[in-house]
Amino acid sequence: MMVKGALAFYTANLPSWAAPQTPAETVPPFMRTEGEWEVVPQPKGVGLVIAPWNAPALLTVLPLMGMLAAGNLCVLKPSESAPTVSRLLARLVPHYFPDRSVVVAEGGRETVEDLISTPVDHVLFTGGGEIGKKILALAARHLTPVSLELGGKNPCFVDEAPTDQLELYAAEIVGTKSYFGGQFCQAQDYCLVSEAVFDEFVRILESKIEALGQRRSCQMINPGHARRVRALLAGQEAIARPALPKDEVEEDRVPVTVLLAPSVESPVMQEEIFGPLLPVLKVSNIDEAVAFVRQRPKPLVAYCFSPRPDAWAAFRDATSSGNLAVNCGPQRMQSNMNAGFGGAGESGYGYSIWGKAAFDDYSDHKTVFKGTKFAGSAWGAAPPPPPPQPSS
């Protein structure tokens, strides 16, 4: 549905995006000469899309649409951790792009290094920050521009609210954790809960998790990732809610679990979890929540679940994040193709997903002045400015 919607959106809007824009003149009238200004979008050349494993088809195709809309050729590098999708793309793309305007390059680290060293003209990487740093280092050898979609530890502030509202907040958080197994760059990474409703909200979270039944056990992308997430639970068993299952968990599964007030120095509060764990910490008020978020790297999305406009304003004005979701979940946050979606600071930069923001990211913008008469410079062919007029 997202791809179909994006296709219609691009088709309707691309002519206006690609048309030259006329910037307003800013020089004083006595310096102006006859002519007109244009800013003309141009293709960068060859784009490289390095896709992640958690949405391997969608996060290949959506950036591809932006690359093509901007007039670029494109190389797709699917994730080697999603081999079925990678093989499917490698089979389908030559069929639909026989002119090789789009090609697929399968492989791992060495393939990425070779592609960036070719070089290409723009790189999009979606994934984790540590690999993002390596991508940047490779691209820097050729001064290749890069867009990064990285994620991070997305905070979720839960304010004092009626019980029915707290139920909605909990259903959204637990549903997102269980549906994706937490393997989603927009998933809430931890919660900051107002002390006035802390105990009640924890009870609601626990009941929502218990209601999952067998669905509490979430499949990870592979056993290695499951081991990484389970390692974050080490030493945290006493604060796990509901209690961790006594039965042996399959090697590629992790249960949805709340962690009550873990140490902020613990690995689960230092690393992006990217799994179904949810640290929950108590805060006295909105100011403490804002201060907590400000002391940490900028996230991709900050969530503010509150009935109070002053809380919304505090998160908007006093925190920094790529995106701010007030009283909504990630589906609504990513539903407007007119709004660019990207990170800030350590959660990335650039707008890779869709819309004019992606078109602009994947374009060069050439400034043109077309003089109907020759316009020289003050140190060259321009006539001297008129002398100042005496004051009356």
Side-chain angles (χ1 to χ4, degrees):
M1 184 173 70
M2 291 176 71
V3 172
K4 286 184 178 180
L7 180 60
F9 185 75
Y10 277 115
T11 302
N13 290 281
L14 186 56
S16 64
W17 299 345
Q21 304 298 308
T22 303
E25 180 67 83
T26 61
V27 299
F30 75 86
M31 292 181 63
R32 295 182 186 179
T33 58
E34 294 181 19
E36 60 183 34
W37 291 94
E38 288 183 333
V39 178
V40 182
Q42 293 186 315
K44 288 189 172 180
V46 178
L48 170 61
V49 174
I50 306 171
W53 50 257
N54 62 324
L58 186 66
L59 292 182
T60 300
V61 174
L62 283 177
L64 170 63
M65 295 173 73
M67 288 281 188
L68 294 178
N72 298 294
L73 306 176
C74 192
V75 180
L76 304 176
K77 213 302 285 181
S79 172
E80 67 275 21
S81 296
T84 302
V85 172
S86 181
R87 289 194 297 269
L88 178 65
L89 289 169
R91 180 168 60 85
L92 292 178
V93 165
H95 175 74
Y96 289 101
F97 297 92
D99 60 354
R100 292 182 60 82
S101 57
V102 181
V103 298
V104 174
E106 294 189 277
R109 177 177 57 82
E110 292 181 356
T111 299
V112 171
E113 292 175 352
D114 289 344
L115 289 170
I116 295 176
S117 297
T118 303
V120 292
D121 299 292
H122 191 103
V123 177
L124 161 67
F125 170 74
T126 303
E130 291 306 311
I131 298 178
K133 293 175 184 177
K134 296 177 182 178
I135 298 293
L136 275 180
L138 290 169
R141 299 175 186 173
H142 305 282
L143 299 180
T144 303
V146 178
S147 300
L148 297 175
E149 291 281 354
L150 301 180
K153 291 190 74 64
N154 301 323
C156 180
F157 172 63
V158 176
D159 202 357
E160 184 175 358
T163 298
D164 62 342
Q165 203 67 33
L166 295 178
E167 292 272 356
L168 288 176
Y169 300 163
E172 176 66 23
I173 295 167
V174 172
T176 301
K177 283 289 187 181
S178 63
Y179 187 84
F180 297 96
Q183 301 163 109
F184 179 35
C185 63
Q186 295 182 58
Q188 296 87 359
D189 193 276
Y190 64 92
C191 285
L192 302 171
V193 182
S194 171
E195 62 182 2
V197 294
F198 183 84
D199 293 338
E200 180 183 10
F201 189 67
V202 168
R203 286 195 298 270
I204 295 172
L205 284 174
E206 191 167 355
S207 69
K208 298 289 185 188
I209 295 172
E210 289 171 341
L212 292 172
Q214 292 185 343
R215 291 186 296 118
R216 183 187 177 188
S217 177
C218 297
Q219 185 170 9
M220 302 291 98
I221 182 66
N222 54 46
H225 185 63
R227 286 192 295 273
R228 189 198 73 81
V229 177
R230 282 201 299 271
L232 299 176
L233 277 169
Q236 310 284 356
E237 293 81 2
I239 59 173
R241 301 290 186 278
L244 295 173
K246 295 182 180 179
D247 299 335
E248 187 171 340
V249 178
E250 296 178 47
E251 67 171 355
D252 62 348
R253 290 183 173 271
V254 179
V256 181
T257 304
V258 166
L259 298 175
L260 288 183
S263 167
V264 295
E265 303 302 326
S266 62
V268 78
M269 286 301 299
Q270 294 294 315
E271 301 177 22
E272 181 181 7
I273 295 171
F274 221 66
L277 312 181
L278 182 70
V280 178
L281 296 87
K282 183 187 299 185
V283 292
S284 57
N285 52 41
I286 181 66
D287 292 335
E288 185 179 350
V290 165
F292 191 93
V293 174
R294 285 173 59 91
Q295 291 166 4
R296 284 155 180 80
K298 298 174 183 179
L300 179 63
V301 186
Y303 293 89
C304 177
F305 294 171
S306 171
R308 298 187 297 126
D310 62 316
W312 314 342
F315 258 79
R316 183 195 63 196
D317 299 337
T319 68
S320 182
S321 57
N323 308 271
L324 173 61
V326 176
N327 293 331
C328 74
Q331 187 174 46
R332 186 66 175 116
M333 188 71 243
Q334 62 181 19
S335 64
N336 187 350
M337 295 181 193
N338 279 315
F341 187 90
E346 292 187 20
S347 61
Y349 48 79
Y351 295 97
S352 68
I353 300 299
W354 56 30
K356 188 174 187 299
F359 174 87
D360 287 340
D361 213 23
Y362 300 147
S363 300
D364 288 323
H365 299 271
K366 180 189 290 185
T367 299
V368 179
F369 179 77
K370 296 184 293 186
T372 54
K373 294 182 178 179
F374 188 78
S377 304
W379 52 85
Q389 298 298 316
S391 57
S392 55

